[in-house]
Amino acid sequence: MKFIKVEVSSNIATITLNRPDALNALNNDLIVEIGASISELDKDDEVHGIIITGSGEKAFAAGADIKGFPELDEVSGKALSQSGHHVFNQIENLSKPVIAAVNGYALGGGLELAMACHLRIASENAVFGMPETKLGLIPGYGGTQRLVHLIGKAKAMEYILTAEMMDAPTAANLGLVNSVAPSGLLIEASRDMLYKIAKRGPLAVSKAIESINASVNPEIDGFELEMKFFGELLASSECKEGVAAFIEKRKPVFRK
Ligand code: HXC
């Protein structure tokens, strides 16, 4: 991989966006690399969860690579947007939990990437924003939709129209991030959250992700899906183990 680093340790994969000199700006090749590594990690049974973070101390990602914009026209601009949508949807629909460990600026496409992850933990120095209208653009990697889902229409409208940035405590208050960690403890906090999830039933976790995602997908009846998955899970060996462990007053063993 040219623009990202991928490491796996203790069953957790870390994808590090690796263009620190450009504040990890997302060019299309970088996004394609994320998609390829996500596909690989999804197939790897040793990987129980994924962290996406930025290299350097200043940025998670300061947006799409603006320096590539002058060569784009209407058709290639739409194709760029579609390419990002494809990969970000892939992240959002992954059956394993994905956490964005936001270590600095998460702007524009950077924030859109973080919002496609299932959970977000911010370092105390993180800064969030949608500055696209300053460039005469709108968010193009799902931001007009996911920001509304996360913080509500009124605040999403405000932040996208004004292009104002927000600090980590504000992001936490608005529900944009799950929690804020001291800078030096960001990765540890993200790993701890993934270890906690890894102790739960992996099939249940994947069905929970799919059901929760259905709540913001107008093409799927999330209530129907929940009932279907609940029945399927009740009949699963995973649930039999979880229930037996409760009755026998022991910890469940979900992973061999
Ligand atoms: C390309 C970028 C970049 C970006 C920063 N850099 N952001 N390069 N694309 N999005 C580069 C700078 O050009 C500079 O390199 C180096 O990173 C350091 O950035 P500075 O600006 O010198 O740092 P600083 O003064 O600290 O300011 C930090 C910043 C600012 C506030 C984050 O860089 C900034 O405003 N960046 C742009 C943020 C933005 O508008 N993002 C939205 C992009 S549009 P050089 O070599 O020049 O010194 C978007 C659309 C997504 O994301 C959808 C697409 C389909």
Side-chain angles (χ1 to χ4, degrees), residues 19-26 31 58-59 61-69 72 77-82 84-85 88 105-112 127 129-132 134-135 137-142 165:
R19 299 186 70 205
D21 294 344
L23 302 187
N24 302 317
L26 309 170
I31 288 175
K58 213 170 148 182
D65 192 335
I66 300 169
K67 290 175 185 169
F69 285 177
L72 298 176
K78 183 176 176 189
L80 179 80
S81 173
Q82 284 170 325
H85 272 260
F88 290 12
Y105 287 112
L107 302 178
L111 176 50
E112 293 176 295
V127 177
M130 286 294 191
E132 284 91 343
K134 282 194 203 170
L135 301 167
L137 286 169
I138 62 169
Y141 288 146
M165 296 194 199

Side-chain angles (χ1 to χ4, degrees), residues 151-174:
I151 69 172
K153 186 179 170 191
K155 282 289 169 189
M157 193 71 85
E158 177 185 330
Y159 279 101
I160 291 173
L161 300 192
T162 64
E164 294 244 306
M165 296 194 199
M166 70 179 99
D167 59 16
T170 307
N173 285 337
L174 288 173

Side-chain angles (χ1 to χ4, degrees), residues 10-156:
S10 306
N11 303 111
I12 292 176
T14 304
I15 298 176
T16 305
L17 315 177
N18 196 23
R19 299 186 70 205
D21 294 344
L23 302 187
N24 302 317
L26 309 170
N27 60 35
N28 192 52
D29 288 349
L30 185 153
I31 288 175
V32 169
E33 287 186 7
I34 294 176
S37 74
I38 288 280
S39 298
E40 285 303 306
L41 296 170
D42 193 27
K43 287 184 240 149
D44 186 343
D45 289 340
E46 294 301 307
V47 172
H48 300 167
I50 299 169
I51 295 171
I52 301 181
T53 194
S55 61
E57 290 180 2
K58 213 170 148 182
F60 175 77
D65 192 335
I66 300 169
K67 290 175 185 169
F69 285 177
E71 62 204 46
L72 298 176
D73 59 18
E74 185 173 344
V75 172
S76 53
K78 183 176 176 189
L80 179 80
S81 173
Q82 284 170 325
S83 169
H85 272 260
H86 175 74
V87 172
F88 290 12
N89 288 342
Q90 196 189 338
I91 295 170
E92 187 168 52
N93 293 313
L94 208 73
S95 59
K96 299 174 185 183
V98 186
I99 295 188
V102 181
N103 56 308
Y105 287 112
L107 302 178
L111 176 50
E112 293 176 295
L113 171 59
M115 290 194 295
C117 297
H118 303 125
L119 298 157
R120 285 152 292 288
I121 301 184
S123 65
E124 26 183 36
N125 68 323
V127 177
F128 300 83
M130 286 294 191
E132 284 91 343
T133 55
K134 282 194 203 170
L135 301 167
L137 286 169
I138 62 169
Y141 288 146
T144 59
Q145 307 302 298
R146 289 196 179 96
L147 192 62
V148 173
H149 298 153
L150 287 168
I151 69 172
K153 186 179 170 191
K155 282 289 169 189

